[in-house]
Amino acid sequence: MLRIECEDIELSDLILRGRCTTNRLYKKLSSNASFKTDLAKVLKKMKMVNNVSELKDIGSLHYEPLVGDLLGYSSVRIGYKSKYRLLFTEHEEGIVIKLITISEHYGDK
């Protein structure tokens, strides 16, 4: 089972409490019930695997290690038709994924 840590306090508020008061993007997303449901489903799926390599077996996540300017990060899609992706770094010591940010997917403008 993956343990998920969140380094961003505002993102943590959105994930744990469903709200955010300071970050514009997170504040907007906190009022979107569909997004919050999709985010909860993604996090549940991520927690169910035993290691990071199993994320690629869950097709709905569209897990991918990133390249270019985001080299060193990985991402999963939040929701089926969502333009938002959860970006994170992977750490194998104790199998921890540290969540970094929610980002609009580069191909969805």
Side-chain angles (χ1 to χ4, degrees):
M1 178 180 225
L2 286 179
R3 188 179 75 205
I4 298 176
E5 293 181 4
C6 193
E7 295 178 334
D8 182 336
I9 293 171
E10 295 162 338
L11 179 57
S12 180
D13 280 345
L14 177 61
I15 290 170
L16 298 175
R17 295 174 190 79
R19 61 181 164 79
C20 180
T21 57
T22 53
N23 181 294
R24 257 181 53 185
L25 172 62
Y26 300 162
K27 189 174 183 176
K28 174 182 152 188
L29 293 173
S30 69
S31 64
N32 183 331
S34 176
F35 173 83
K36 291 193 307 186
T37 299
D38 289 342
L39 178 60
K41 287 178 186 177
V42 165
L43 293 170
K44 182 178 179 180
K45 289 177 184 179
M46 291 175 74
K47 289 178 183 178
M48 290 174 49
V49 300
N50 293 312
N51 59 56
V52 174
S53 65
E54 291 179 20
L55 291 175
K56 66 180 174 233
D57 297 333
I58 304 172
S60 62
L61 292 179
H62 296 272
Y63 164 78
E64 63 180 336
L66 301 175
V67 296
D69 293 345
L70 295 174
L71 186 65
Y73 294 93
S74 298
S75 71
V76 293
R77 183 181 293 165
I78 300 172
Y80 178 69
K81 291 186 175 183
S82 175
K83 64 182 178 179
Y84 295 103
R85 298 186 62 81
L86 189 59
L87 292 124
F88 53 89
T89 56
E90 301 173 13
H91 304 273
E92 290 300 331
E93 64 277 349
I95 308 171
V96 176
I97 295 178
K98 295 189 178 193
L99 304 176
I100 301 298
T101 189
I102 294 172
S103 168
E104 290 189 49
H105 192 269
Y106 62 88
D108 298 326
K109 295 187 179 185

